[in-house]
Amino acid sequence: MKKTYIIIHTHTSIDGNINSMDLPEFDIASQHYQQLCLSKDSKIKIDAYLNGKTSTEDNVTFYKKPKLDENAPKVPGGDYVAVEKMPMYYISIDPKGELAFETNTFYYGGVPTHFIEVLTEKASNAYKAFLRSKEISYIVAGQNNIDFEIMFEKLQELFGIRRLMVGGGGTINWTFLDRGFVDEVSMVIAPIANGDPNASRFFTAKEPYTKIKDKAFELKNVEVLDGGVIWALYKTKK
């Protein structure tokens, strides 16, 4: 099977902060970010985009708790494909099954995207029943931790996903890079900063899962966009 092509595409300030800021320059950069990956004339051709659990809670479920029926009938084993052949998919990493989705579709940049949850065997029957009641697809990839190779294989086989954008927080971004999965890194750099030492960063190593190590990239393209925004595209060096 052909390897999934993976692109990290993240909106950042010039000090590496990926949190939102209440500035017009942030909004302009955000629009460019969406256009580059989701518009009809997208320069980053993707089938789906993936976020970590924290990014999904920050932007979609807002730290709500799912209403689970602990007495729900036993669901069939394995994966669940609720919707096929969607124009775009939103993939969320949720090992234990904790995200409180309200619908099975997310509208980002005006594009309808179907949710796919990536679970481990730790996810309960009650949570899987909850997802099925919402018609939210899920795959099971790993016993206690996400097995990304299994995840990529299932996303290709079940949903036809071959070009995947990782637009998550610094931890998931670095995890994919550290494990050698990433082909390109796309940065939309807004002309803003706030110097917050505790802000989420473009890349963040998290011991013991990932290590701090030096990485080099090869510049593939750079463009100056409206509002002083810079788009830089790098290839990873293997």
Side-chain angles (χ1 to χ4, degrees):
M1 180 180 293
K2 186 177 180 181
K3 174 190 175 297
T4 304
Y5 197 86
I6 297 176
I7 307 161
I8 291 177
H9 179 56
T10 303
H11 173 195
T12 178
S13 64
I14 61 176
D15 60 357
N17 185 344
I18 61 173
N19 290 340
S20 63
M21 298 185 195
D22 189 19
L23 294 168
E25 290 86 353
F26 176 90
D27 295 332
I28 293 170
S30 181
Q31 291 172 10
H32 287 303
Y33 172 85
Q34 294 177 34
Q35 290 169 357
L36 285 164
C37 62
L38 297 175
S39 66
K40 291 181 179 179
D41 57 348
S42 166
K43 294 185 179 181
I44 301 175
K45 305 296 183 182
I46 59 171
D47 305 311
Y49 56 95
L50 177 147
N51 279 331
K53 179 173 176 285
T54 300
S55 293
T56 300
E57 288 187 312
D58 285 343
N59 298 293
V60 181
T61 61
F62 306 109
Y63 294 88
K64 296 177 182 178
K65 299 297 183 183
K67 296 180 180 179
L68 304 182
D69 179 5
E70 298 298 339
N71 297 314
K74 184 72 173 178
V75 304
D79 312 309
Y80 172 60
V81 179
V83 179
E84 295 181 345
K85 298 180 180 179
M86 285 290 289
M88 189 69 67
Y89 293 95
Y90 180 114
I91 302 163
S92 56
I93 302 293
D94 187 16
K96 297 179 182 179
E98 299 173 294
L99 293 170
F101 295 100
E102 295 183 355
T103 66
N104 70 352
T105 305
F106 181 60
Y107 288 85
Y108 184 63
V111 178
T113 59
H114 177 68
F115 288 120
I116 303 173
E117 276 270 83
V118 182
L119 309 172
T120 65
E121 297 290 351
K122 284 186 173 181
S124 67
N125 180 77
Y127 187 73
K128 293 175 184 176
F130 165 78
L131 293 179
R132 285 172 176 260
S133 72
K134 301 288 186 182
E135 295 189 331
I136 295 172
S137 299
Y138 63 80
I139 60 174
V140 180
Q143 292 289 328
N144 299 311
N145 300 303
I146 299 295
D147 186 317
F148 292 108
E149 285 85 358
I150 292 175
M151 181 189 78
F152 296 142
E153 183 176 335
K154 288 188 174 185
L155 291 175
Q156 281 200 37
E157 288 182 349
L158 299 177
F159 302 95
I161 296 169
R162 289 176 171 79
R163 288 180 63 87
L164 174 64
M165 183 187 96
V166 179
T171 300
I172 194 70
N173 286 349
W174 187 254
T175 297
F176 273 57
L177 185 70
D178 181 60
R179 299 191 183 186
F181 298 141
V182 178
D183 297 284
E184 294 181 344
V185 175
S186 169
M187 303 178 68
V188 178
I189 307 168
I192 55 177
N194 65 8
D196 183 354
N198 300 313
S200 299
R201 298 293 167 185
F202 196 99
F203 288 124
T204 304
K206 187 175 183 180
E207 301 280 359
Y209 307 105
T210 56
K211 303 292 185 181
I212 297 172
K213 62 177 69 172
D214 298 335
K215 296 280 188 180
F217 303 86
E218 178 184 344
L219 183 63
K220 184 176 179 181
N221 184 54
V222 63
E223 294 182 20
V224 178
L225 308 176
D226 293 341
V229 175
I230 293 174
W231 175 46
L233 182 64
Y234 296 90
K235 290 182 66 175
T236 55
K237 290 186 176 182
K238 302 299 183 182

